[in-house]
Amino acid sequence: MVVQNENCFRLNHLENSWDLDTYVANGGYEVWKKVVAGELEPNEIIEEVKASNIRGRGGAGFPTGLKWSFMNRNAPGQKYIVCNSDEGEPGTFKDRDIMRYNPHALVEGMAIAAYVIGASRGYNYIRGEFWEPYQRFNNAIKQAREAGFLGDNILGSGWDFDLFTHLGAGAYICGEETALIESIEGKKGQPRFKPPFPASFGLYGKPTTINNTETLASIPMILAKGGKWFNDLGVENAGGTKLYSVSGHVNAPGNFEVRMGTPFKDLLELAGGIWKGRQFKAVIPGGASTAIIPAEKALEMNMDYDSIAKAGSFLGAGSVIIMDDQTDIVKVMQNLSHFYWDESCGQCTPCREGTGWLYRVLTRIVEGKGRPEDIAALKDVSGKIMGNVICGLGDAATIALTSALEHYEHEFQHYIEHGCSIFDRQ
Amino acid sequence: MSSTVTNTANFIQGEVKARIDKWIANYPADQKKSATMPALRIVQECHHGYLTTDLMDQIAEYLEITPMEVYEVATFYGNYEHEPVGEIKLCVCNSISCMLRGRDEILAAIEKKIGIKPGEMTEDGRFSVKMVECLGACGGAPMMQVGKVYHENLTPENITDLLEEWSK
Ligand SMILES: NC(=O)C1=CN([C@@H]2O[C@H](COP(=O)(O)OP(=O)(O)OC[C@H]3O[C@@H](n4cnc5c(N)ncnc54)[C@H](O)[C@@H]3O)[C@@H](O)[C@H]2O)C=CC1
Ligand SMILES: Cc1cc2nc3c(=O)[nH]c(=O)nc-3n(C[C@H](O)[C@H](O)[C@H](O)COP(=O)(O)O)c2cc1C
Ligand code: SF4
Ligand code: FES
């Protein structure tokens, strides 16, 4: 059985689910009240978060409890909590709906995280195009401030925490955490070398914890119901529910909050199955930076890290892009390569030049001017980017393409030999 | 054309200034530079949707940073414009889910209705079309952003209707 909407989306069916009154009427800010009243110690919170087995929902899957434990709460000086709502990975659209329908869960989650790491200031970095989600979130901040849940001396506890937003301006790379920090500092969004990680050198050079929107919005429920509750919803290596964004060739695209480990075929069914009565060809399961999986394998996998890894890909941000049997894989790869070329920040030569190369070669192939040596060239350029760059964008630019060449090389071959796609064959 | 404003002296005053000041207050007192992005956005919004060197210089002066620091930011991020744009700027998503669900038909319908392709502007300056990367609304593909609003689940019919309405 597929159970839905137990966590971030639990209020979505209610009218004005984004309103403070709705949130409070459904148990919202109860955990936060306990925290500021000193009834829940930072160490206990970290233990619960560890027990929940929640892994970072931004895509890398790093254990959240462990990340929080890197911060020294009692070290002197300013520290920051930062939320990553830059959501730009093609196929990903879940954080937008958390902010639109349950923004107070994010406010409460950020407040709790801030308390645990000893930060009195926080920023939510929202991509600039997300105006409606920004307004909902900003309004939630305002309501929480008026209700005394944010600001100075929260509920008479002596604890201060204030929360702000920063809006992006159309740069995917700013979702990379260190580029995001640069961007808040008012600079170009160019990633920094890691280490040092933000936990030791973050925003304005201060210790900073950065988490994804879904990660932080999950915290209040984890603490309300206990880490064990969350852990038991999931599978051995990853707890909880997970938001999957399903798009592409399905009848009912959308976000689905289901349990980690839900069979892929159940998720596909929730999204209404393949559109136009066609057959299922392939899926990119975790956003544009994850490997493509052919239908046969996908139908046997479950939606959790280990099972997807076994099928040859990665869970990423849970961004499931479905393709039907009329899909031209070469054109899909051309589209993805354009994305990475467009979005490369330009600071590493292999990424800056290599992504352009990949795009140009794929365009040449799609235009019917492919050369026999082009497939080898694509592989060679991919190999030169992979592992030789500062951040994950460069690597990501090669992952889907490499997997497409593995499973669908004949489609590229057909273009090169006949100057057209397999669908143009008479 | 309405969007050529020659006199932009003292642009950062009144409402523009008040809006920028609100953002400056969101950052630590010694980190005014953090307000570069909001300042660029606000100035662009209040100046027919695009920036000029003069305007960027004024932002630099106001935030007490060098003009180069402002230019760097203004040219790095895709949403800042440096040439006049249409009063109604259609930002059509170019990425994978929108492509899979018929972006090309949407572009064709736009061209049929108002006669312009991506990167172009209508002669009266009313519309321009820009291709952008994934806007994080792939469940509503194909989609576009116009101003602060997302228009999702586009079809050749509904986009033609929208353009008809906006042409009035
Ligand atoms: N949600 C979206 O729109 C997008 C998501 N992604 C995802 O992002 C992922 C890559 O993210 P990265 O941040 O580059 O991964 P990463 O593995 O470098 O880091 C993951 C997180 O763990 C922390 N961390 C890791 N090792 C640490 C250590 N030893 N000490 C302290 N902190 C440590 C990092 O600071 C970071 O917060 C990709 O797998 C991709 O799926 C990529 C593009 C867009
Ligand atoms: C190119 C690139 C883009 C990224 N974009 C996002 C993003 O939009 N949202 C996000 O949460 N994480 C994104 N990440 C991952 C972040 O760097 C970071 O791992 C994440 O915000 C940490 O939060 P989490 O541990 O809660 O997942 C991106 C990484 C890379 C390499
Ligand atoms: S890999 Fe690409 S996006 Fe990442 S830092 Fe290098 S050039 Fe920039
Ligand atoms: S692909 Fe168009 S909104 Fe994501």
Side-chain angles (χ1 to χ4, degrees):
Chain A
M1 190 187 57
V2 178
V3 184
Q4 280 184 264
N5 300 348
E6 292 168 278
N7 182 21
C8 298
F9 273 17
R10 70 189 176 98
L11 305 177
N12 286 25
H13 63 287
L14 301 172
E15 208 180 318
N16 296 334
S17 62
W18 52 86
D19 221 39
L20 179 70
D21 293 344
T22 317
Y23 188 65
V24 167
N26 288 279
Y29 291 111
E30 287 302 320
V31 175
W32 182 227
K33 284 188 213 159
K34 274 170 74 179
V35 171
V36 287
E39 290 165 33
L40 206 51
E41 295 282 327
N43 281 339
E44 286 176 73
I45 297 175
I46 291 183
E47 286 316 309
E48 283 301 321
V49 174
K50 281 186 179 164
S52 78
N53 218 348
I54 186 171
R55 296 172 57 174
R57 299 302 196 230
F62 194 84
T64 305
L66 182 62
K67 197 194 280 190
W68 289 10
S69 70
F70 295 146
M71 297 284 286
N72 178 2
R73 183 173 203 272
N74 299 316
Q78 184 70 51
K79 301 174 209 72
Y80 293 99
I81 181 79
V82 173
C83 175
N84 189 341
S85 299
D86 194 45
E87 188 157 69
E89 174 96 330
T92 316
F93 49 96
K94 63 190 177 68
D95 299 336
R96 174 183 182 224
D97 279 359
I98 293 176
M99 289 185 284
R100 287 205 295 175
Y101 300 117
N102 196 6
H104 281 286
L106 181 55
V107 172
E108 187 176 7
M110 287 188 73
I112 295 166
Y115 187 86
V116 170
I117 64 166
S120 60
R121 276 180 97 90
Y123 287 91
N124 185 14
Y125 189 107
I126 304 176
R127 62 176 298 168
E129 298 87 350
F130 276 177
W131 195 257
E132 186 193 17
Y134 158 70
Q135 283 183 310
R136 291 263 170 90
F137 182 75
N138 224 19
N139 193 50
I141 292 181
K142 210 172 129 233
Q143 290 182 326
R145 220 175 256 152
E146 281 163 10
F149 295 133
L150 295 178
D152 290 343
N153 190 19
I154 295 167
L155 304 174
S157 64
W159 177 253
D160 305 336
F161 176 62
D162 221 338
L163 186 48
F164 306 93
T165 52
H166 185 87
L167 285 170
Y172 164 74
I173 190 59
C174 290
E176 196 284 334
E177 55 183 14
T178 59
L180 183 150
I181 290 171
E182 292 280 306
S183 183
I184 300 181
E185 292 179 358
K187 304 178 198 152
K188 293 190 279 189
Q190 290 189 322
R192 302 172 177 170
F193 277 104
K194 293 194 282 192
F197 286 94
S200 44
F201 188 86
L203 182 58
Y204 306 123
K206 306 290 187 222
T208 301
T209 293
I210 302 193
N211 278 118
N212 172 256
T213 315
E214 185 186 351
T215 311
L216 288 165
S218 297
I219 297 301
M221 285 300 284
I222 288 175
L223 297 174
K225 291 195 163 187
K228 186 176 181 320
W229 163 77
F230 194 82
N231 175 61
D232 292 351
L233 292 173
V235 294
E236 197 186 333
N237 204 10
T241 57
K242 172 81 189 90
L243 272 166
Y244 293 102
S245 305
V246 185
S247 69
H249 295 151
V250 288
N251 283 309
N255 284 311
F256 301 93
E257 185 166 58
V258 296
R259 294 181 177 187
M260 189 69 85
T262 295
F264 169 78
K265 61 174 173 19
D266 291 357
L267 185 62
L268 181 58
E269 203 179 305
L270 274 177
I274 305 294
W275 74 347
K276 299 184 177 174
R278 291 186 190 160
Q279 297 300 307
F280 172 36
K281 177 171 180 169
V283 59
I284 293 180
S289 42
T290 62
I292 191 166
I293 306 179
E296 317 79 69
K297 264 196 189 168
L299 289 168
E300 282 167 15
M301 75 184 180
N302 297 329
M303 296 304 292
D304 62 74
Y305 295 94
D306 293 349
S307 183
I308 297 180
K310 235 176 87 193
S313 190
F314 192 56
L315 180 130
S319 333
V320 181
I321 307 165
I322 307 275
M323 287 162 269
D324 70 20
D325 57 357
Q326 304 290 304
T327 309
D328 181 336
I329 297 291
V330 187
K331 277 195 180 148
V332 166
M333 292 304 142
Q334 182 204 18
N335 181 280
L336 293 182
S337 70
H338 180 275
F339 176 82
Y340 290 109
W341 167 67
D342 207 14
E343 298 294 347
S344 167
C345 85
Q347 98 183 287
C348 324
T349 311
C351 172
R352 183 186 65 237
E353 301 302 322
T355 52
W357 251 91
L358 294 177
Y359 176 62
R360 283 192 303 275
V361 172
L362 285 161
T363 299
R364 175 160 92 203
I365 294 175
V366 165
E367 286 174 350
K369 295 177 222 146
R371 303 171 195 162
E373 66 273 18
D374 279 352
I375 291 180
L378 290 173
K379 290 181 182 167
D380 181 50
V381 173
S382 296
K384 289 196 168 111
I385 300 174
M386 192 72 185
N388 296 317
V389 289
I390 293 177
C391 89
L393 185 145
D395 293 347
T398 71
I399 292 173
L401 177 61
T402 303
S403 64
L405 285 168
E406 186 185 319
H407 300 294
Y408 303 100
E409 186 167 326
H410 62 282
E411 291 195 28
F412 294 79
Q413 282 292 2
H414 191 278
Y415 258 111
I416 292 170
E417 281 165 26
H418 304 275
C420 62
S421 86
I422 52 166
F423 300 104
D424 298 325
R425 190 164 36 193
Q426 258 83 48
Chain B
M1 200 173 55
S2 66
S3 46
T4 21
V5 173
T6 41
N7 185 8
T8 54
N10 280 326
F11 200 80
I12 303 178
Q13 54 172 316
E15 196 208 318
V16 176
K17 179 175 176 302
R19 285 175 66 191
I20 295 174
D21 286 347
K22 254 175 109 171
W23 280 94
I24 292 175
N26 284 355
Y27 305 100
D30 57 347
Q31 300 292 346
K32 245 177 149 176
K33 181 179 160 109
S34 282
T36 307
M37 289 173 68
L40 285 164
R41 175 173 55 79
I42 291 162
V43 166
Q44 171 166 303
E45 261 174 44
C46 298
H47 181 259
H48 311 284
Y50 73 103
L51 297 162
T52 63
T53 308
D54 171 37
L55 289 169
M56 291 188 283
D57 290 348
Q58 292 184 43
I59 291 173
E61 200 186 323
Y62 193 67
L63 297 178
E64 296 165 336
I65 54 180
T66 64
M68 191 51 76
E69 289 174 285
V70 177
Y71 304 160
E72 271 190 3
V73 172
T75 52
F76 183 83
Y77 296 88
N79 294 352
Y80 301 124
E81 302 285 354
H82 300 273
E83 301 285 338
V85 295
E87 285 164 47
I88 295 176
K89 179 170 81 167
L90 312 175
C91 297
V92 182
C93 176
N94 187 40
S95 295
I96 178 168
S97 302
C98 288
M99 176 188 108
L100 291 173
R101 291 184 74 98
R103 166 209 66 192
D104 287 348
E105 290 150 44
I106 303 307
L107 291 174
I110 293 173
E111 192 177 351
K112 188 163 169 231
K113 183 73 192 163
I114 56 174
I116 53 171
K117 289 192 174 70
E120 296 176 353
M121 178 158 68
T122 53
E123 266 176 38
D124 61 1
R126 181 76 174 155
F127 294 102
S128 56
V129 181
K130 179 175 181 177
M131 296 310 287
V132 297
E133 300 295 355
C134 179
L135 288 167
C138 332
M143 60 81 63
M144 67 173 176
Q145 180 201 11
V146 180
K148 287 172 175 162
V149 180
Y150 276 18
H151 297 269
E152 301 178 52
N153 301 304
L154 295 174
T155 63
E157 295 75 38
N158 66 21
I159 188 149
T160 306
D161 291 348
L162 278 174
L163 292 170
E164 175 72 34
E165 199 180 305
W166 292 337
S167 297
K168 285 174 190 157

